[in-house]
Amino acid sequence: MSVFQDYPEERLYTPSVWDGLSANEDLVRISAIDAIIAVGAPVALDAVAVRAGLDAVAFDAAVAGLDERHSWVRDDVVKFVYPVSALPTNHRVTLADGRSFSAMCVIDGMGTAFTFSQDVRLESVCSTCGEPVRVNVEAGEIASLEPLTAHVVHADLSKQENWAASC
């Protein structure tokens, strides 16, 4: 049961930033996410390549595709792969399998339940007042929220050409 049962619900649809990725692009994306979570820091492309296991030509093509679509933020290392941040943020996610990492924002943190297909616990801080915010997502729904007065602001990121690096 949702903690929002007494509130009107408005469903907003924003296309996934991963819609239309090739199989190799998705493999490189997942490999980068896994590498960041494993080391808890930015990762070099060489480490991502090892995890992906693609030949050099296929890997380079996948990297070029992810770059072109602004699907990650990188220079000499991969720093952000939606929704995972290799740099510390105020948005800490713990997956049901025990792994934890920083999310790029609170909404991304809640969305990790769908990225990883498992329940998540998110501990964050309100960007306005600095008070702690805790959210548990179970079976794809918000199971608990502290404080209950928390609000979410939705921005249509599809209007940004490079939303991942527009902060």
Side-chain angles (χ1 to χ4, degrees), residues 54-66:
L54 297 171
D55 65 61
V57 172
F59 182 78
D60 290 346
V63 167
L66 293 171

Side-chain angles (χ1 to χ4, degrees), residues 35-109:
I36 288 169
I37 293 173
V39 301
V43 293
L45 278 182
D46 291 349
V48 176
V50 168
R51 280 183 179 269
L54 297 171
D55 65 61
V57 172
F59 182 78
D60 290 346
V63 167
L66 293 171
D67 286 345
E68 182 178 309
R69 293 176 53 126
H70 306 291
S71 296
W72 55 8
V73 176
R74 70 174 190 90
D75 44 33
D76 57 328
V77 293
V78 180
K79 296 178 181 175
F80 304 99
V81 184
Y82 173 82
V84 174
S85 171
L87 304 175
T89 70
N90 287 332
H91 321 292
R92 195 74 185 158
V93 174
T94 302
L95 300 172
D97 67 17
R99 293 180 294 165
S100 64
F101 54 89
S102 288
M104 294 173 69
C105 69
V106 170
I107 299 299
D108 290 346

